[in-house]
Amino acid sequence: QVQLVESGGGSVQPGGSLRLSCVASERIFTLTSMGWYRQAPGKQRELVGRFTNFGRLYYNEPVKGRATIAKDNAQNSLNLQMNNLQPEDTAVYYCRALKDGTEYWGNGTLVTVSQ
């Protein structure tokens, strides 16, 4: 059973930045397709960005140029840097990973963007 714990959410003004972190209970090199998703109020969960099976990063269109995902092997974490945040980025942000064909999700961290 893989556990994923997100942190770093909070309230920020438009144009601000946040860095989210997802710490895994297992070494992240054992996990595949790690990525970040988000769910805004009243909307379906959507992809922010993830590593593909070939180890490349893919970002969803709404966050391209503003989001950077990176692995930190020393901290055993997957990080998401979000810049120029806008109100439409308000959502619960979730970390996801696969291991041996099983999908794991964290409980999420809330990001609120408002004046």
Side-chain angles (χ1 to χ4, degrees):
Q1 187 83 6
V2 177
Q3 293 184 341
L4 303 171
V5 180
E6 303 96 335
S7 63
S11 295
V12 63
Q13 292 185 341
S17 298
L18 279 177
R19 182 176 178 271
L20 307 183
S21 180
C22 168
V23 177
S25 61
E26 299 190 17
R27 300 301 300 271
I28 58 174
F29 68 79
T30 69
L31 307 176
T32 59
S33 298
M34 289 196 78
W36 285 93
Y37 292 72
R38 66 185 183 183
Q39 186 166 17
K43 295 188 177 181
Q44 289 189 330
R45 193 172 297 188
E46 67 171 1
L47 173 70
V48 175
R50 69 174 183 87
F51 282 92
T52 69
N53 291 338
F54 301 100
R56 295 186 176 182
L57 273 169
Y58 171 81
Y59 294 99
N60 205 359
E61 198 62 37
V63 302
K64 273 185 180 177
R66 301 188 297 122
T68 302
I69 293 174
K71 291 180 180 179
D72 185 334
N73 290 320
Q75 299 295 325
N76 216 37
S77 68
L78 182 74
N79 301 318
L80 169 64
Q81 176 72 37
M82 286 284 293
N83 298 324
N84 191 24
L85 285 159
Q86 300 299 318
E88 53 266 33
D89 295 313
T90 294
V92 178
Y93 284 70
Y94 297 91
C95 180
R96 171 190 177 267
L98 295 177
K99 183 176 174 69
D100 298 330
T102 300
E103 185 179 61
Y104 297 94
W105 292 87
N107 289 327
T109 185
L110 176 64
V111 173
T112 303
V113 185
S114 64
Q115 290 285 1

